[in-house]
Amino acid sequence: MDPESLRRPGDLVVVSADPIDPTALVARVVVPAAGAVVLFLGTVRDHSADRRGVVALEYEAYTGVVEESISSVVGEARDRWPLLVVAVAHRTGRLAVGEASVGVAVSAAHRPEAFDAARYLIDELKQRAPIWKKEIWEEGEEWVSGAGSS
């Protein structure tokens, strides 16, 4: 299935090595009918649940498959809440501490729907999108997750 067929015009789902521009994500979802815009950014931190000294993360994904998976989640969010525009971006490649690895922006007429939908989108994306993550720390590296893990 074509990922574009799962989204409404104006929505954005992109998986790329390009840096995520939070301002561009917000600009994508701002429309005259929007009374609420919510932006979530996931960033690379210097530790994980088990380890300190994380210096980078590396993400791998089959772009088309991941975009289709995320687009499906966007469709589900649209079925649950009256959303105006949705934009989701996920990075691939090596990211340094502090860089944004994922961004979710939504607009709706009212804030409860925008907050709830943004939370749903990031939670479901983390559970279902087939994206693999490698932690890189000062003394080594290890693949730590893929779809279905946290």
Side-chain angles (χ1 to χ4, degrees):
M1 180 179 295
D2 176 18
E4 287 293 321
S5 68
L6 299 170
R7 298 189 298 271
R8 289 191 185 168
D11 285 351
L12 172 73
V13 172
V14 63
V15 176
S16 167
D18 296 334
I20 295 171
D21 179 353
T23 303
L25 284 179
V26 169
R28 181 73 181 230
V29 302
V30 171
V31 294
V37 171
V38 171
L39 171 67
F40 169 82
L41 289 177
T43 57
V44 177
R45 63 181 180 255
D46 66 357
H47 65 281
S48 68
D50 301 331
R51 191 177 311 276
R52 293 242 173 259
V54 172
V55 296
L57 295 179
E58 183 176 324
Y59 291 94
E60 285 191 10
Y62 294 108
T63 302
V65 173
V66 173
E67 287 178 350
E68 184 175 326
S69 176
I70 295 170
S71 294
S72 179
V73 174
V74 168
E76 292 168 14
R78 287 194 158 285
D79 288 344
R80 293 179 71 168
W81 295 281
L83 303 177
L84 298 170
V85 185
V86 177
V88 179
H90 202 296
R91 292 281 306 273
T92 56
R94 187 178 173 125
L95 284 72
V97 170
E99 286 189 86
S101 58
V102 61
V104 172
V106 300
S107 61
H110 304 284
R111 74 180 169 272
E113 293 86 358
F115 275 114
D116 291 347
R119 174 83 184 237
Y120 178 83
L121 286 162
I122 190 61
D123 288 351
E124 290 300 311
L125 179 157
K126 284 185 61 79
Q127 287 298 311
R128 296 168 34 194
I131 300 169
W132 292 270
K133 177 174 75 174
K134 182 193 308 181
E135 283 182 2
I136 302 163
W137 59 96
E138 294 160 357
E139 54 294 327
E141 58 188 41
E142 179 181 18
W143 289 101
V144 295
S145 66
S149 61
S150 38

